[in-house]
Amino acid sequence: MTVVRAQTRVSALAGTTRAAWLDGVNPVTKLVLALLLSVPLFASIDPVSALVAIALQLLCLPLTGLAVLTVLRRLLPIALFSPIAGLSMLLYAEPEGHVFWRFGVAAISEGSIELAIAVTLRVIALGLPTILLFGRTDPTELGDALAQVAHLPSRFVLGVLAGTRMLGLFLDDWRTMALARRARGVGDHGALRRFFSMAFVLLVFAVRRGTKLAMAMEARGFGSGLPRTWSRPSRLHPRDAVAVLGGVAIMVIAIAAAVASGVFRFVWS
C-alpha cells in the first residue's frame, strides 16, 4: 500500500504523467544504486565498460518514466564538459604506441587517444545514473527515507530538505531578475558584468532567505533534540532488492565485456 501511495503522489506531482516502475523504489535504494553504477567504473579506465554501462542504463529508460528528450537535455552539460577531462589524458598521458604529435611535455599517441576516449565516456557513465534515478524523486520522500531507512539525524535531513526546496526558488529569482533587467533596457549588453551582478544579488537573497528559514524552523521546534515523528512511512520492499540486483547485473556485464575484449586496464596496476 505504501508503494501505491508513493506512486499516486508522484503521479499527482507530475500531472498526467503515469507512475513508472522506478517510482516505487525507495530513495535510499536509489542512492545505493547510484553508488553501484559508478564506483566499480573507477576500477578500470577503458572505453568498453563505460560504453556498455551507458547502453544498458539507457535500455532501462522506460522504467524511469523520463522522456528521452528530458534525459538528453539534462545530460547535455555533462556531455559538453566531459571532453575537458579527456583532454588532459590526450595531452599528458604517458605515450603508448605510435606518437602522432609532440610539443614539450605534451604528446598525442595511440595510447593517449584511447585514454582520452575512455575518460570522456566514463564521465558520462558516472553522471547518467544520477539523472535516471533522481529525475522524478520527490525531495520530501528522499528526506523521509534518509531519516527512517538510513537513520540519519533528523536535524541534518531536514536541513538538506529545506536547502533542496530553496533551489527552485533560486532559479525563479534568477529568471525574475533577468526579465526585470531586460524590461528596464539593461539586460541586452555586458553579459559577463550582468552575470556577476545578478550572482551577487542572488547571494544576498540566499543569505536573507536562509536566515528567515532558520529562525522559522527553530521557532517550530526543528532544532530540538527530541525524537521526531514522521507523517509518511518509508519502508523497503522486494522491488528495492530487484533494483539492486539489476544494478549489480549492469556493472557485472559492463566489466565482463571489458575483460572479454581485452581492454580492461586496472587503475592501480
Side-chain angles (χ1 to χ4, degrees), residues 28 143-152 157 230-235:
V28 171
D144 292 336
L146 291 176
Q148 300 177 53
V149 179
H151 301 291
L152 295 179
V157 171
W230 306 91
S231 60
R232 298 187 299 187
S234 181
R235 301 289 184 269

Side-chain angles (χ1 to χ4, degrees), residues 146-259:
L146 291 176
Q148 300 177 53
V149 179
H151 301 291
L152 295 179
S154 59
R155 188 183 183 95
F156 169 77
V157 171
L158 293 171
V160 172
L161 177 59
T164 305
R165 291 295 190 188
M166 292 297 103
L167 290 177
L169 295 179
F170 291 157
L171 295 176
D172 292 338
D173 289 339
W174 186 271
R175 297 191 190 99
T176 302
M177 287 190 296
L179 293 175
R181 287 171 176 266
R182 175 158 295 185
R184 294 169 183 171
V186 295
D188 297 328
H189 303 285
L192 187 60
R193 183 178 61 184
R194 182 175 69 251
F195 172 81
F196 285 106
S197 175
M198 291 174 60
F200 178 76
V201 174
L202 190 64
L203 176 62
V204 175
F205 284 172
V207 173
R208 291 178 179 177
R209 186 175 289 133
T211 302
K212 293 179 181 178
L213 180 62
M215 294 177 61
M217 293 180 70
E218 288 286 346
R220 294 171 182 172
F222 284 99
S224 65
L226 299 176
R228 300 198 61 85
T229 57
W230 306 91
S231 60
R232 298 187 299 187
S234 181
R235 301 289 184 269
L236 297 177
H237 300 87
R239 182 176 299 197
D240 297 283
V242 175
V244 172
L245 291 176
V248 172
I250 290 176
M251 282 294 96
V252 169
I253 294 175
I255 295 178
V259 174

